[in-house]
Amino acid sequence: MTVKEVAERLGTWETSGERFPRRLIAERRIAFVKVGRHVRIPAAALADFITANTVQPVTRRSRRLRAVA
């Protein structure tokens, strides 16, 4: 995938354009392939990045009030 396609998939295209995916590449936080001077990100690498950075919601447990003796 191109950097623009990755930005669109991550939903950052409207706000920061290609800046966020390029920062991920520069910081080596996502796998990429250089083809000449072009940079491509495999779809599997993007899926792995999203999975690794997904935060699960906290489930609330009901707390029973204890009587203070």
Side-chain angles (χ1 to χ4, degrees):
M1 302 174 68
T2 65
V3 175
K4 181 180 178 183
E5 291 170 339
V6 171
E8 289 171 349
R9 175 90 45 102
L10 291 174
T12 61
W13 179 250
E14 296 295 324
T15 55
S16 65
E18 296 179 5
R19 194 171 356 157
F20 180 67
R22 290 202 182 276
R23 186 168 41 120
L24 293 177
I25 292 165
E27 294 173 356
R28 303 291 197 260
R29 292 174 49 197
I30 193 167
F32 64 95
V33 178
K34 287 194 77 167
V35 182
R37 64 181 193 165
H38 302 284
V39 176
R40 298 292 183 257
I41 299 172
L46 180 60
D48 291 344
F49 174 80
I50 291 170
T51 301
N53 290 288
T54 299
V55 178
Q56 297 300 321
V58 175
T59 57
R60 294 186 142 195
R61 293 184 290 172
S62 62
R63 261 200 284 183
R64 296 178 72 189
L65 297 176
R66 288 199 246 172
V68 178

